[in-house]
Amino acid sequence: MYTAISFVAFTAFVAFYSWYKLRKENLESKDGYFLGGRSLTGVVIAGSMLLTNISTEHLIGMNGSSYKNGFIIIAWEVTSALALVAAAIYFVPKYLKMGLTTIPQYLEKRFDSATRTLVALFLMISFVVTLLPIVLYTGALNIESIFNVSQVLEVSKEQGLWITVVSIGVLGSIYAIFGGLKAVALSDTINGYGLLIGGLAIPLFALVSIGDGNPLEGLSKVFLNSPEKFNVIGAKDSVLPFGVLFTGLIINQLYFWSMNQTIIQRALGAKNLVEAQKGLLYTGVLKILIPLIIILPGVIGFYYFGDSMYGNQDMIYPELIKKVLPVGLVGIFAAVILGAVLSTFNSVLNSAATIFSIDIYKRHLGKKSSDSKLVLVGKLTSTILAIFAILVAPMVANAPDGLYQLLQQLNGIFFIPIATIMLAGFFLKYISAVAAKVSLFTGLLFYVLTTFVYKVDIHFVHLWGIEFLLNLGIMFGVSYFYPSNKEFNNEDLHIVEMKAWKYTKPMSIFLCVITVLIYILLGKNY
C-alpha cells in the first residue's frame, strides 16, 4: 500500500510541476514545441540528456550484464565523457551557429536534400524498430516486477506485462504529444536528479546491510567475494573486449553524444552557447558517476544470488530493489524508474516528430506549412509511433546476451553509416553527396550481413570500426569518379549568443583525465 501511494504521489508531483512551468509557454511555434523555445539552461539540458540516455534498458540491461560480466562494460559509460567533450568544443558550436533544429538539416547544407531525407528516414526506422520497443519492454518488466501487476490484477505474467506496456506508452505519449520538448526536459530534470539519488540509494542500502552498518566494509566483502568482477579490461572473448575502445566504440560514442537527434536536441534548444556547453560537460560528469547506479548493483547482485540467475540476468535489478529498499521507498524509486522510462520514450517520440515534421513533411508534403501545422503533424507522428511501439514491445523478450547488448547491436545498423557521413562532412571537404548516399547503403548492408545473416566471428563493436573504414574507402572512391560540386559555407545565422563558456577547457581536461584514471586504477587482471 505504501509503495503504491508513494509511487502515485511522486509521479503526480512531476506531472503537476511540468504543467505549472509550461502553462504560459507558446507551444504552437516550431521553436517553442520542438526546441523548448531555445530557452534551456545547462542544468535542465544535463538532467534531460542523462534521463534521455539512462532508461530501464540501462538499469535492467546493464546491471544484468554486469551481474554476469562484471565492470568490463563500464566502457559504454565512461567513454561517453570523451564524446561529450568533443560535442561541447567542436560539434555543438557549429550546430548553434547554423541555427539547426534537426541533424539532417546539416546534411542538406553539406551534401544535398536527398541525403537529408534518406538519413531522416533511417532515423525514423531506427527509433521505431530498435529504441522505442526495448525502452517500453524493459520499463514494463521493472514496474511489473516491483508491483506484481499480474498478481494484483489476477492475470498471467504475459498479460501483466502487456497492461504495463500500454500504461507506460500512453503516459509517455501525453508528455511528448501535448508538451513538446520543454515538457520532456522539465520532467526529465526532476526525474534525472531523482534517479541519481534513488539509484545511488540501492547500492548504498545493500552495502550498509552487507557491511553491518559500514558501507565500505560491505564494498570490501563484495570485492573479496568476486574480485574479477571489478576488472575493467575486457578479454578478447568477453562481452566487451578492451580493444573495442579503439575501434568502433569511439565512433559510436561520437555519434551518440554529438550527432544523435534524440540527445543533441536538448543542446540545440539551449538559450546560448554557454548553457549548451555547460549542459554537455555537466552530463559528462554525471556519466562518470552513473556506473555506481547501473553497474555496481549488478555486481552486488552476484554477491547475494551467485550465478543462480545467469539464465535470467535481466531480472537481477528488480530482485535487488525488492531485497534492499525499505518498503516506503520502493514506490518512490519505482516512480523514478517510470520517469526514466517515460523520459527516453517521450524524448524519442519528440525527436521522431521533429525529424518527420521538419525534414520529411515540410520538405516533401507541405512546403508552405505554417508552424502550427508542423506542430500538429508532429503530434500525429508521435501518436502513430507510440501505438506501433506498444504493439511491438513484447516481441523483444528473451534476448540471448541481454536486452542492452541487443539494443547496441541493433543501433549499429543505422548509427555507424550516419556517423561516417557526418564525420566525413565535417572533416573531408571533397567528399561528394553521391559518395555519402552510396556509403549509407553499403555500410548498412555490410553490417546486417556480417552481424545477423552470416554471423562473422568478430565482436560487433569491432565490426563498427571495420564498417567505418569501409564506408570511408567507398566515399573516397566514389568521390573520385563523382566529385563534389558544392561549396559548404558554415555561416553564423546569429540565432543565439555564441560566446563560449569560460570553464569549457578546464572541465574538458578534467573529464579526460578522470576517464584515463578509471582504466589505470581498475584495469588490473585480478
Side-chain angles (χ1 to χ4, degrees), residues 358-506:
I358 305 296
D359 295 311
I360 296 174
Y361 183 83
K362 185 170 175 60
R363 289 201 46 73
H364 301 287
L365 302 171
K367 293 183 179 180
K368 296 181 180 179
S369 297
S370 63
D371 276 14
S372 59
K373 180 70 178 290
L374 290 176
V375 169
L376 177 61
V377 169
K379 290 178 178 179
L380 288 172
T381 304
S382 294
T383 305
I384 293 166
L385 292 184
I387 292 168
F388 185 84
I390 289 167
L391 294 175
V392 172
M395 299 177 190
V396 303
N398 303 319
D401 293 317
L403 289 165
Y404 188 76
Q405 200 78 346
L406 172 66
L407 177 63
Q408 295 301 341
Q409 284 183 308
L410 291 172
N411 280 342
I413 298 172
F414 302 100
F415 283 10
I416 303 303
I418 297 171
T420 309
I421 65 168
M422 288 287 294
L423 289 168
F426 277 115
F427 298 108
L428 301 170
K429 299 304 180 190
Y430 48 85
I431 295 296
S432 68
V434 175
K437 289 192 281 287
V438 170
S439 76
L440 272 177
F441 288 104
T442 52
L444 184 148
L445 185 64
F446 167 81
Y447 183 73
V448 169
L449 288 175
T450 53
T451 305
F452 301 105
V453 179
Y454 295 110
K455 305 266 183 180
V456 176
D457 189 23
I458 300 173
H459 194 281
F460 72 89
V461 181
H462 281 316
L463 284 174
W464 291 350
I466 295 168
E467 180 188 352
F468 177 72
L469 293 175
L470 175 70
N471 286 347
L472 281 180
I474 287 168
M475 283 195 285
F476 278 121
V478 175
S479 295
Y480 179 79
F481 293 102
Y482 298 92
S484 177
N485 56 5
K486 182 176 182 179
E487 186 72 29
F488 174 58
N489 182 23
N490 185 12
E491 61 179 314
D492 189 348
L493 298 183
H494 302 289
I495 291 175
V496 296
E497 187 183 343
M498 291 301 297
K499 181 182 176 184
W501 185 35
K502 62 181 177 180
Y503 296 115
T504 296
K505 287 186 179 177

Side-chain angles (χ1 to χ4, degrees), residues 141-214:
L141 198 67
N142 218 335
I143 300 297
E144 206 283 334
S145 174
I146 291 169
F147 290 110
N148 294 316
V149 174
S150 52
Q151 287 182 24
V152 172
L153 298 178
E154 297 181 346
V155 294
S156 68
K157 188 102 174 172
E158 189 177 337
Q159 288 172 317
L161 270 173
W162 265 104
I163 292 166
T164 315
V165 161
V166 172
S167 303
I168 292 172
V170 170
L171 196 54
S173 306
I174 290 170
Y175 275 101
I177 293 166
F178 296 106
L181 180 66
K182 195 149 190 180
V184 173
L186 286 170
S187 61
D188 285 357
T189 305
I190 305 172
N191 284 316
Y193 296 106
L195 178 68
L196 273 181
I197 296 165
L200 288 170
I202 303 293
L204 184 61
F205 277 117
L207 294 175
V208 167
S209 174
I210 294 167
D212 298 319
N214 184 341

Side-chain angles (χ1 to χ4, degrees), residues 3 6-7 146-147 321-322 324-335:
T3 300
S6 56
F7 172 81
I146 291 169
F147 290 110
I321 290 172
K322 289 192 284 189
V324 305
L325 265 192
V327 174
L329 293 179
V330 170
I332 293 175
F333 191 60

